[in-house]
Amino acid sequence: MMSSQTRLLLDKSVVRRYFEAVSALVRGLALSEEEQQTILLVHLARRKEQRLFLPVEAFNLLQAHRHQIAPAEMLMFLKRVEVLYPARYFKRWVRRLRERTFTREDAKVLALGTFGTDDAGQILGVHIIVTHDQPMVRKWELEREKIAERLLEMTSDLQEPFAHARLPKVGLPGDVGRQGAQGTR
């Protein structure tokens, strides 16, 4: 379950900001720094050998609201991203993260970053979760060491490939764009 590309999971805040930026561009409005970073992240991913994923819930939201989004940009976006599905042990890991007082939604995204897989089941987890949720980024950094210990305890008795599950980094689009593939596991 190895891939040479850096795998990024875009949470729904990044997806939302991307489409807000596209809408602003269409209307001729200036983009905020966050919007610029999000657009660049998505559009330059292939060139930087980054593979973009989004949670299945975000994909389903896009499908439900596709009539409100410009069809051409929706198609271009969906060609750039893949869906990341919960794999075995995902729910168990969500519970462990909730014990660390992450919100339900944050715990699900973080668990997907560790125990998520692509449509073909060829990967396990991502290298980096990209979000605009600064409190989640700070909490992850503060708790990371203890969470890593908890993951090691959980995975020590698991079979391949789950025994090799690793924690992703969590960062803002601008930070991820600057670090590129340098910070991958």
Side-chain angles (χ1 to χ4, degrees), residues 13 16 24 32 34 41 47 70 83 103 116-117 123 127 129 141 146 151 153 158:
S13 71
R16 179 176 38 251
S32 70
E34 281 186 351
L41 177 76
R47 189 177 307 160
V83 177
T103 66
T117 190
I123 63 163
H127 300 103
I129 296 172
E141 287 306 313
K146 290 179 181 172
L151 180 64
E153 289 171 12
L158 301 182

Side-chain angles (χ1 to χ4, degrees), residues 5-6 27 29 31 49 55 69 86 114 123 139 155 168 185:
Q5 292 180 308
T6 302
R27 294 179 307 192
L29 302 174
L31 299 182
E49 296 188 24
I69 301 170
T114 303
I123 63 163
K139 182 169 177 52
T155 58
R185 52 183 168 171

Side-chain angles (χ1 to χ4, degrees), residues 21-29 70:
V22 167
S23 175
L25 285 172
V26 167
R27 294 179 307 192
L29 302 174

Side-chain angles (χ1 to χ4, degrees), residues 6-10 50-51 53 113 125-131 167-172 175-177 179-185:
T6 302
R7 297 183 301 274
L8 308 177
L9 176 61
L10 309 178
Q50 295 171 333
R51 195 170 166 195
F53 291 90
V126 297
H127 300 103
I128 306 170
I129 296 172
V130 187
T131 183
L167 291 180
K169 293 186 176 203
V170 178
L172 304 170
D175 298 337
V176 172
Q179 87 184 84
Q182 299 168 358
T184 63
R185 52 183 168 171

